[in-house]
Amino acid sequence: MENYIELLKLILPELILEHFDLVNTKIEQEKMHLFFEEKNTPPKEYNDLQLISKGFLNEITIQDFPLRGKFVYLHIKRRRWTDKESQEIIQRDWNIIAQGTLMTQEFADFLKDINRY
């Protein structure tokens, strides 16, 4: 299993592997779908609150670097928590998607760089 994680570190954004679990994969002729769910570890800045996991926000789908001739899509479900005392909804604000696109920031940066040459 450790080798599997090391391989994923080479092909996926670091942020994804740190904070999300890979829960499913689906491979089609020209597409690879990787499904992730955010780990149930609330943001550290809320450690002093009693938070209760309240499931997930709507799934987002973003495109990442192609692998072996297949388009790669990351399906990401972000978690939300409720503060038991104030009933405030807590969630992380991830900067996974490049602004104005449906691609990972790393993939968008790569495409910008090759466009310059």
Side-chain angles (χ1 to χ4, degrees):
M1 184 65 158
E2 184 61 35
N3 292 336
Y4 174 68
I5 298 298
E6 291 304 312
L7 178 61
L8 286 177
K9 286 180 182 178
L10 296 173
I11 60 175
L12 293 174
E14 185 178 324
L15 173 79
I16 298 287
L17 293 175
E18 272 183 49
H19 299 284
F20 294 83
D21 291 320
L22 179 64
V23 294
N24 196 9
T25 61
K26 180 179 166 187
I27 299 176
E28 300 171 342
Q29 283 185 340
E30 297 178 357
K31 298 177 185 174
M32 177 185 300
H33 299 273
L34 304 173
F35 297 85
F36 293 91
E37 291 180 354
E38 186 173 356
K39 295 177 182 179
N40 193 7
T41 51
K44 291 179 184 174
E45 57 269 26
Y46 297 100
N47 278 348
D48 57 331
L49 301 177
Q50 190 173 9
L51 300 180
I52 301 167
S53 178
K54 287 295 184 180
F56 297 95
L57 299 168
N58 291 335
E59 178 181 286
I60 61 169
T61 302
I62 56 176
Q63 188 174 358
D64 199 18
F65 287 94
L67 293 173
R68 297 279 184 183
K70 295 187 185 303
F71 296 103
V72 176
Y73 295 94
L74 308 178
H75 301 267
I76 299 172
K77 290 173 94 174
R78 296 173 32 222
R79 198 172 281 279
R80 63 181 172 199
W81 297 269
T82 301
D83 177 355
K84 193 172 181 178
E85 187 174 312
S86 71
Q87 298 303 305
E88 177 186 2
I89 301 293
I90 308 294
Q91 65 191 36
R92 287 188 176 90
D93 185 21
W94 299 107
N95 293 322
I96 298 170
I97 301 174
Q99 187 173 0
T101 73
L102 289 176
M103 295 179 236
T104 60
Q105 184 64 52
E106 292 173 347
F107 187 35
D109 291 344
F110 169 76
L111 292 175
K112 282 184 202 174
D113 284 346
I114 63 169
N115 225 6
R116 291 183 186 143
Y117 297 104

